[in-house]
Amino acid sequence: MSALANHTFAKMNGIGNEIVVVDLRDCKAAVTPEDARAVASPAGVPYDQLMVLQPPRLSGTEAFIRIYNNDGSEAGACGNGMRCVVRRLFEETGQTSATFETRAGLLNCWQGPAPDLYTVDMGAPKFGWRDIPLAEEFRDTRYIELQVGPIDAPVLHSPSVVSMGNPHAIFWVDDVNAYDLERFGPLLENHPIFPDRANITLAHIVDRDHITIRTWERGVGLTKACGSAACATAVAAARLKRANRAVEVTLPGGKLMIEWREHDDHVLMTGTADFEYEGRFDPALFANVA
Ligand SMILES: N[C@H](CCC[C@H](N)C(=O)O)C(=O)O
């Protein structure tokens, strides 16, 4: 029987990124990729990421969080999902700050700078080709040799690559809506240069304080928002010296404030998180899951 059968969940969203939060801290069983796919099935609850709270493994942390994409794959980071988890927990407990463990490391989160805003310290970005990871060595990950379209007239080319606990490729363009991301997204997500696949973002630097993005998410597809992509893009733009270290990022579903802090190299992501409804998983959903 699935750990999720009959369990309650919260359907939330982080500026349109569809999130399901499940608290399994009272339960030893873990969620499997098959469970995650069953939840995403037509009879289930539509989501981009399923955020599962498991019992804490480290003292001082609230939970060990596992993050599933709707294809059942697991992600090391999900910025929008973390804000949803944080809002849910803070409303239950009255806390205003907390630390969580994810596969990518420890995340400090707090309410603020306004009551409806939540900030996640996403940790330090990584730029090494093995860290991202890339299949072969690239010394300068500010631009890598990768393109789609005709060889002498590429449609998209030379992305910046960054790990925010998950892999991101950012293509710099003049208009994020001028490209068929549904067509190029899957090609780039699954390109052999990305052994763990990658989240694919189109980014337009409006000015030094403002960037617009659109993202094809690994394991999901087009989403209204991807928090870690906003972080990766802000960092990549600052690294190219084309934007300030604190920027506003506009995504199809809303906006996020991103700051790449100088003193500790950490990236802070601030935005809203919305609660939609609560439910209980129908055990029939998992009938075919071993
Ligand atoms: N929506 C997420 C990212 C999900 C990550 C994922 N698609 C992957 O890396 O596999 C965010 O707000 O950061």
Side-chain angles (χ1 to χ4, degrees), residues 27-290:
C27 156
K28 282 212 176 75
V31 168
T32 63
E34 292 74 27
D35 290 333
R37 281 194 290 271
V39 174
S41 67
V45 187
Y47 73 87
D48 299 321
Q49 273 81 40
L50 173 65
M51 310 291 292
V52 181
L53 280 70
Q54 296 194 166
R57 308 190 303 180
L58 299 171
S59 69
T61 61
E62 301 293 332
F64 174 54
I65 300 199
R66 293 183 72 176
I67 304 163
Y68 293 90
N69 293 314
N70 63 22
D71 74 347
S73 62
E74 240 186 297
C78 177
N80 292 326
M82 281 310 302
R83 292 198 316 284
C84 293
V85 166
V86 166
R87 173 170 181 173
R88 183 92 183 135
L89 181 84
F90 289 3
E91 284 181 351
E92 272 166 22
T93 65
Q95 277 167 270
T96 55
S97 70
T99 304
F100 297 91
E101 185 192 3
T102 65
R103 291 205 318 179
L106 294 181
L107 299 178
N108 289 321
C109 309
W110 58 93
Q111 189 173 11
D116 64 334
L117 293 176
Y118 299 88
T119 299
V120 181
D121 178 342
M122 300 281 287
K126 293 192 187 130
F127 308 113
W129 68 276
R130 283 193 186 82
D131 294 320
I132 289 166
L134 301 174
E136 59 186 80
E137 178 171 0
F138 283 90
R139 270 171 207 281
D140 188 352
T141 50
R142 289 176 303 173
Y143 288 114
I144 65 162
E145 288 146 34
L146 172 65
Q147 62 177 57
V148 288
I151 203 133
D152 48 357
V155 179
L156 291 167
H157 64 93
S158 314
S160 299
V161 284
V162 179
S163 169
M164 282 307 314
N166 55 350
H168 290 272
I170 302 110
F171 290 85
W172 306 103
V173 299
D174 287 335
D175 177 358
V176 297
N177 295 313
Y179 298 84
D180 188 354
L181 194 49
E182 248 177 312
R183 174 159 161 241
F184 295 118
L187 295 176
L188 290 161
E189 173 193 359
N190 295 294
H191 192 283
I193 199 69
F194 302 119
D196 289 350
R197 304 190 282 160
N199 297 287
I200 307 299
T201 292
L202 303 178
H204 169 59
I205 299 175
V206 180
D207 57 43
R208 294 194 65 81
D209 305 312
H210 187 192
I211 304 175
T212 299
I213 67 170
R214 204 149 71 87
T215 300
W216 173 271
E217 276 194 24
R218 170 179 73 164
V220 180
L222 282 182
T223 56
K224 292 212 180 94
C226 179
S228 49
C231 296
T233 305
V235 162
R239 214 173 156 227
L240 288 167
K241 308 222 176 310
R242 293 180 59 194
N244 295 328
R245 291 179 73 109
V247 292
E248 182 178 302
V249 180
T250 301
L251 306 90
K255 64 174 187 180
L256 295 171
M257 295 304 306
I258 311 292
E259 183 189 356
W260 186 17
R261 230 164 31 186
E262 206 127 9
H263 73 90
D264 61 0
D265 204 34
H266 284 203
V267 181
L268 305 188
M269 176 207 58
T270 302
T272 54
D274 290 312
F275 172 78
E276 293 174 15
Y277 59 91
E278 232 165 44
R280 188 176 290 278
F281 289 119
D282 181 348
L285 259 186
F286 308 98
N288 299 321
V289 175

